[in-house]
Amino acid sequence: MKDAETISARLLSGDRLALSRMISWAEDGDDRFPASLSRIYSKVGRGWRTGITGPPGAGKSTLVNELARVFRQGERTVGILAVDPSSPFTGGALLGDRIRMEERTKDPGVYIRSMASRESHGGIARATVDACDVMDAFGFDELLIETVGVGQAEYDVVTAADTVLVVLCPGAGDGIQAMKAGLLEVADVLVVNKKDRDGADRLLVDLEEAVHTREVRTDQWEVPVLPTNAVAGEGVEAVIDAVHRHRAHLEAGLLESVRRRRRVDQVKRVVGERLEDELWGGRRLGDRVEEGLDRASTPYDVAEEVLASILGGNLGAPAGDSRSEAARR
Ligand SMILES: Nc1nc2c(ncn2[C@@H]2O[C@H](COP(=O)(O)OP(=O)(O)OP(=O)(O)O)[C@@H](O)[C@H]2O)c(=O)[nH]1
Ligand SMILES: [Mg+2]
């Protein structure tokens, strides 16, 4: 793995091409990635990861741009990852984001990268965590991860973050819809963007009510609801202040366990992906499925056969199996 060695050394010396290369390896599931990650992993854990999610068009990219601007005024370096889990390629929306962020891209203290899902299964969440680890090891102080909040794949992506900002705006993606979509559940900070628009005050009040009437969070954090006008850069400092407060809150308590749980999730994703490749990649089991179906069995019968052949026929009697429990009673 000469390549992995070279790239990780270059990354640690501040080479941005190496940074981009490693993120591409993560994205492609390249087998050079694990070896290169292990060479930089001791540097992971210093950057703060802020996820920005919310309905399409809520103003996430505009806010990310503003957050980056304010961080830069404070001499903090910023790595930005725009993740589009539902797109099989880096499409138009992200391209538009890139143009808006042009001002930021000229700044050597800012790195911007978009990522899209190339495969249908959950690889994008795994790749997001990998990309964050790589940017973190590179040395960015602040990591910003933007993703559209619409479904499960996006929630998986957002769990890569230490602090989650949910950006809403009056109109299309109003509070009720956000609640239905479960967006409020993932929020550490709620942002009501487009506060210059009609309905913003109403949305603020609704969300504050929703936050306060909800059961107290197990982590004792009170979710702030903050108005912004991202285009005018208004309210952005208050958002950053909330991120800092949330960071201090986690650092005083749950941070280690939260990050550990996130690593556990990542291990599970890697195992899942590898298993899937092993099982179906070599067509070994694929052939078995075809044969089973030729015998006119149901998909369940064939699946049982396949599982039995993998697990050595011990299906149905794992440790602590409910039937054996019942027999003992
Ligand atoms: N009036 C007003 N317009 C805003 C504000 N923030 C963003 N916009 C506009 O809303 C539109 C969408 O903004 P984006 O930042 O692209 O929104 P987004 O959430 O990143 O959109 P997607 O990534 O496509 O989901 C743009 O035309 C912005 O200029 C705001 O505070 N007030
Ligand atoms: Mg956007």
Side-chain angles (χ1 to χ4, degrees), residues 60-61 97 100 146:
K60 299 178 294 296
S61 299
D97 288 348
R100 260 198 303 281
E146 177 191 341

Side-chain angles (χ1 to χ4, degrees), residues 55-62 97 100 146 148 193-194 196-197 228-231:
K60 299 178 294 296
S61 299
T62 314
D97 288 348
R100 260 198 303 281
E146 177 191 341
V148 180
N193 189 43
K194 309 194 185 182
D196 52 305
R197 293 263 182 93
T228 57
N229 176 343
V231 168

Side-chain angles (χ1 to χ4, degrees), residues 1-12 18 21-23 25-26 29-44 126 130 133-134 137 270 274:
M1 286 285 168
K2 185 94 181 54
D3 275 2
E5 210 171 301
T6 320
I7 286 292
S8 46
R10 279 173 48 194
L11 179 123
L12 293 179
R21 173 71 60 81
M22 264 193 81
I23 293 176
W25 283 354
D30 192 294
D31 59 11
R32 287 167 290 190
F33 184 77
S36 50
L37 181 67
S38 73
R39 289 170 186 280
I40 63 170
Y41 207 69
S42 63
K43 299 275 192 280
V44 173
R126 193 264 309 144
D130 286 341
D133 286 347
V134 172
V270 173
R274 284 285 169 78

Side-chain angles (χ1 to χ4, degrees), residues 261-278:
R261 200 172 58 223
R262 219 179 290 140
R263 281 204 294 278
V264 169
D265 289 344
Q266 184 72 340
V267 172
K268 288 181 182 171
R269 291 187 194 105
V270 173
V271 169
E273 268 183 71
R274 284 285 169 78
L275 271 180
E276 205 155 314
D277 289 350
E278 287 289 322

